[in-house]
Amino acid sequence: MASTGVNLNGVREKTSSDTQDDDGRTAVVGDSSVQEDEFRHNLNAKLNNPLAGLTHQELSAKGEAYCRDNSIDEQEDIRAFKLGAIIAQNPNKHPELAELTAEERDTLGLEIEKKWSQPWTLYMIIVLCSTCAAVQGMDETVVNGAQIFYAPQFGIGDKGSSRDSWLVGLTNGAPYLCCAFIGCWMTVPLNKFFGRRGTVFVTCLISALACFWQAFTNTWWHMFIARFALGFGIGPKSATVPIYAAECAPPVIRGALVMQWQMWTAFGIMLGYAADLAFYNVPDQSGITGLNWRLMMGSAMFPAVIVCCLVFKCPESPRWYMSKGRHAKAYESMCRLRYNKIQAARDIFYMHTLLEVEKESMLLGQSKVKEIFTVPRNRRAMQASEIVMFMQQFCGVNVIAYYSSEVFIEGGLSQISALAASLGFGVINFLFAIPAIYTIDNFGRRNLLLTTFPLMSLCLFFTGFSFWIPSSSTAHIACIALGIYLFGMVYSPGEGPVPFTYSAEAYPLYIRPLGMSFATATTWFFNFVLSVTWPSLVQAFQPQGAFSWYAGWNIIGFFGVLFFVPETKGRTLEELDQVFSVRTRDHAAYGGRQFFYFFRRYLLRQDIQPEDLYKIGEVEHHQDSFKIEKTADQTERV
């Protein structure tokens, strides 16, 4: 006889209620027909609360023990943890607790009925993260208009020259080259030593100084160096800010709050275009050549300065404190992010419980980099994160963000009109990201991607084919602009906000900064690839072929998401362990069934119900004996 259960990483362990089949597989006593493979298949992503089955007295004792172990001594706090541990078992049954005050009962009910009713401190963090995103957006797009002027001034403005095309692309993509190979990999040490807030401060300070530096360059290689330095700010910031927001937000609105990163990046992109247009006609002063583009490049420093002034007014991430073993500080921080101490204690205790289960299934002593690839749960998270991050670039959005002015000039507009048309794209990019605040947590991350990838492909095909319309016709530039604007409308609520949100929540806490480093390094590396290759791609393939190239990648992205990207909406960060414990082949098979479900339901109009692979609740169908728990017995991995 052996002992077996299933931990949160999907690893099966022996328990005393199991026996061995003739072929060596484990079966449950009382139903020997249920074998391990069938168990894994039926389990899918159904999650049992690790606190399930405990009495209120046992839960209360656990809450009190947690306080004792972590030097939380105030009687009010101990009471909060004793009640919070009980509520964590089933948050919807809090009205049954007679010990709650009327105010506590009302607050707990309010968070269910009105999920957007949250403390102002939480929203202050989101405002801070949104300002960081605006820094990012301006860093990316002020160069769109500035390169019209500095490229000829630096002797790299000949569009017929292959050398000049590559140098313009290299200069434009310098920050993303730095992000991919150096900047993003600074995320782990910066977070380790400075925390989430400290990393935000350091990276925004670097961004401000680098933007100021760019305004004083006088050669293309000097501009390259200054922009390369900008990558030291962009890389760690883009990895840390979504993590910070995800770790502070409640599960029911986490997607909407974390996606503010992309929404306000879009706002920053719009500000960058606006700065290009505002400084376009600034004349040179005595001894200053190119004052207009210098003001464009330098203007991006101001949002970064604002962040540096405000960041330490926000609380640190509770999960970061817990990763350092500073549980009292984590509770103190969570109290600022929730309305009352009952909520804070409940969330801290439940988080601690799930982290303990996660910790027990870690391969202790092994490199964290190795664990990303060797632990199936982590590997699946990386696989899904890498797909959405790669496609954020290869959907083609940043060739428009960085080169839209050149595209519009190629289509026949004047420089000032091209900048105005680019501003139009920036406005659309921002406005159409707003609906994602609602859809990302209600419609879901995965569904947004599956809906928008085919539409983005059609928009890019339309844009590219519009270049075949004779340039003498007003329809030529009108259709080019229409295709680009429609693309922005579709991109903004889908592939825009999802990748950073998804990557920030996919990994378990102990490797989250490292996983986010991988994710952001991927997106910035391919951002660099797009930046450096687009001028030459247009020269070789013409706009028709260049836009069609990225249209084709959107079709590939659709199938990548369908087969390999699980849904993550509505779960705590710790509960996602079970979602990513579904085998890749099982999820791919589910994706295939989902594709045919859509065809039958919406095209053939058949009355069929969708399959739910990710139910959270009691595990059914011969699975009662496989409760997700750790036992005192020695465990054995399958």
Side-chain angles (χ1 to χ4, degrees):
M1 293 286 253
S3 183
T4 195
V6 176
N7 64 30
L8 288 182
N9 279 345
V11 178
R12 192 155 186 267
E13 300 157 352
K14 295 184 178 179
T15 64
S16 56
S17 61
D18 289 355
T19 59
Q20 294 292 323
D21 290 354
D22 291 338
D23 63 357
R25 295 193 181 194
T26 305
V28 186
V29 171
D31 193 343
S32 60
S33 64
V34 182
Q35 296 180 339
E36 180 184 346
D37 287 343
E38 181 183 352
F39 164 74
R40 285 179 178 273
H41 175 73
N42 289 329
L43 179 63
N44 290 335
K46 295 183 179 180
L47 174 65
N48 276 347
N49 188 321
L51 301 174
L54 298 177
T55 66
H56 283 194
Q57 290 76 15
E58 290 172 325
L59 290 167
S60 179
K62 281 181 173 289
E64 186 174 6
Y66 179 81
C67 292
R68 186 170 57 250
D69 294 342
N70 294 286
S71 302
I72 300 174
D73 303 322
E74 295 291 332
Q75 287 302 313
E76 182 183 4
D77 296 330
I78 294 173
R79 172 185 175 273
F81 272 95
K82 291 171 70 174
L83 292 175
I86 297 172
I87 297 171
Q89 185 184 60
N90 193 332
N92 292 325
K93 290 189 176 181
H94 70 269
E96 300 176 5
L97 283 178
E99 296 90 339
L100 292 174
T101 66
E103 180 184 354
E104 291 168 344
R105 203 180 307 275
D106 290 342
T107 302
L108 290 169
L110 189 65
E111 71 176 356
I112 297 173
E113 298 168 7
K114 297 182 179 180
K115 63 183 182 180
W116 287 101
S117 178
Q118 302 291 339
W120 70 270
T121 308
L122 177 63
Y123 288 112
M124 184 171 71
I125 288 177
I126 301 308
V127 169
L128 178 80
C129 294
S130 300
T131 309
C132 289
V135 174
Q136 196 94 339
M138 286 197 74
D139 287 342
E140 292 181 28
T141 55
V142 287
V143 71
N144 190 303
Q147 66 186 340
I148 297 174
F149 302 101
Y150 75 65
Q153 181 178 331
F154 294 166
I156 55 174
D158 185 356
K159 291 184 174 57
S161 166
S162 177
R163 170 189 175 274
D164 286 4
S165 295
W166 280 102
L167 289 180
V168 168
L170 183 65
T171 305
N172 202 335
Y176 319 119
L177 179 66
C178 175
C179 286
F181 291 103
I182 306 176
C184 291
W185 304 107
M186 294 169 57
T187 302
V188 173
L190 285 175
N191 276 265
K192 180 179 180 180
F193 292 110
F194 299 111
R196 311 294 191 235
R197 293 181 306 173
T199 301
V200 169
F201 175 82
V202 170
T203 53
C204 282
L205 181 62
I206 293 173
S207 291
L209 295 174
C211 288
F212 190 71
W213 182 4
Q214 288 177 104
F216 289 88
T217 57
N218 286 300
T219 61
W220 73 262
W221 55 265
H222 192 188
M223 177 65 82
F224 172 84
I225 295 171
R227 287 184 60 73
F228 189 88
L230 181 62
F232 290 105
I234 290 178
K237 179 167 79 264
S238 65
T240 301
V241 173
I243 292 175
Y244 184 31
E247 291 182 344
C248 294
V252 290
I253 57 171
R254 186 180 65 243
L257 296 185
V258 179
M259 65 79 53
Q260 300 295 314
W261 167 262
Q262 184 60 34
M263 176 178 161
W264 292 95
T265 296
F267 181 75
I269 287 172
M270 182 182 73
L271 285 183
Y273 290 135
D276 289 344
L277 200 58
F279 295 122
Y280 179 85
N281 288 316
V282 172
D284 289 347
Q285 300 296 314
S286 176
I288 303 176
T289 303
L291 180 60
N292 55 354
W293 70 258
R294 297 179 189 279
L295 291 173
M296 293 175 191
M297 298 298 278
S299 63
M301 70 178 290
F302 292 106
V305 172
I306 293 173
V307 172
C308 290
C309 294
L310 298 179
V311 64
F312 289 108
K313 295 185 179 297
C314 296
E316 181 57 271
S317 161
R319 282 179 173 89
W320 183 81
Y321 278 132
M322 293 186 79
S323 72
K324 297 295 182 182
R326 300 166 65 182
H327 292 261
K329 292 293 291 184
Y331 173 58
E332 180 183 321
S333 181
M334 186 66 83
C335 285
R336 295 183 62 188
L337 298 170
R338 302 293 185 265
Y339 274 122
N340 62 41
K341 291 189 174 183
I342 294 289
Q343 290 174 302
R346 175 202 61 195
D347 291 350
I348 288 291
F349 181 79
Y350 188 52
M351 189 189 308
H352 164 73
T353 301
L354 291 175
L355 288 175
E356 286 299 303
V357 177
E358 174 187 286
K359 187 185 299 182
E360 290 174 358
S361 62
M362 290 167 51
L363 301 178
L364 297 177
Q366 182 169 285
S367 141
K368 289 183 180 179
V369 174
K370 189 175 181 181
E371 283 206 17
I372 287 183
F373 296 94
T374 57
V375 177
R377 177 261 184 270
N378 298 342
R379 187 170 62 247
R380 294 181 193 111
M382 183 190 70
Q383 174 180 273
S385 172
E386 292 297 296
I387 287 172
V388 295
M389 281 300 207
F390 169 78
M391 284 309 307
Q392 188 174 58
Q393 300 307 319
F394 264 63
C395 72
V397 65
N398 280 329
V399 298
I400 297 173
Y402 303 154
Y403 294 105
S404 59
S405 298
E406 299 291 338
V407 170
F408 285 125
I409 290 172
E410 179 80 16
L413 290 181
S414 64
Q415 288 183 351
I416 189 70
S417 297
L419 289 174
S422 295
L423 177 60
F425 173 75
V427 172
I428 287 172
N429 197 19
F430 171 65
L431 292 179
F432 280 84
I434 295 175
I437 297 174
Y438 171 81
T439 58
I440 197 166
D441 282 314
N442 290 277
F443 198 47
R445 287 76 153 145
R446 172 182 163 82
N447 288 335
L448 282 174
L449 296 179
L450 292 176
T451 302
T452 55
F453 269 126
L455 297 176
M456 287 192 292
S457 180
L458 289 174
C459 292
L460 289 181
F461 276 126
F462 180 85
T463 303
F465 294 169
S466 296
F467 279 88
W468 272 314
I469 300 174
S471 57
S472 57
S473 171
T474 54
H476 176 78
I477 189 61
C479 286
I480 292 172
L482 177 62
I484 289 175
Y485 290 166
L486 288 175
F487 176 86
M489 292 176 187
V490 177
Y491 166 84
S492 296
E495 185 61 11
V498 169
F500 278 93
T501 302
Y502 195 96
S503 299
E505 63 192 9
Y507 291 94
L509 176 63
Y510 78 102
I511 58 167
R512 190 168 295 145
L514 180 62
M516 198 61 178
S517 296
F518 271 102
T520 51
T522 297
T523 200
W524 292 123
F525 173 74
F526 287 105
N527 192 319
F528 168 73
V529 171
L530 262 70
S531 301
V532 76
T533 59
W534 178 255
S536 299
L537 190 66
V538 172
Q539 192 177 57
F541 288 177
Q542 300 303 304
Q544 296 91 329
F547 279 105
S548 297
W549 165 255
Y550 290 112
W553 276 105
N554 280 285
I555 297 173
I556 295 172
F558 171 83
F559 287 102
V561 171
L562 182 68
F563 293 131
F564 304 114
V565 177
E567 182 57 76
T568 59
K569 71 168 184 174
R571 293 161 176 78
T572 69
L573 295 177
E574 291 72 32
E575 287 172 345
L576 291 179
D577 279 343
Q578 195 65 17
V579 171
F580 287 104
S581 292
V582 177
R583 295 179 305 184
T584 300
R585 62 187 177 192
D586 291 338
H587 189 275
Y590 162 72
R593 295 192 299 272
Q594 192 179 37
F595 182 83
F596 287 107
Y597 158 78
F598 180 88
F599 180 80
R600 292 173 60 194
R601 176 73 182 269
Y602 296 104
L603 297 182
L604 300 182
R605 311 300 296 176
Q606 295 180 1
D607 186 16
I608 56 176
Q609 295 302 313
E611 176 184 356
D612 187 354
L613 189 67
Y614 309 111
K615 286 181 181 177
I616 295 181
E618 291 297 324
V619 179
E620 301 172 351
H621 191 62
H622 303 301
Q623 294 164 15
D624 291 338
S625 299
F626 291 95
K627 296 224 178 165
I628 300 175
E629 60 186 1
K630 297 294 286 187
T631 69
D633 299 333
Q634 184 176 3
T635 62
E636 178 180 57
R637 291 183 176 271
V638 175

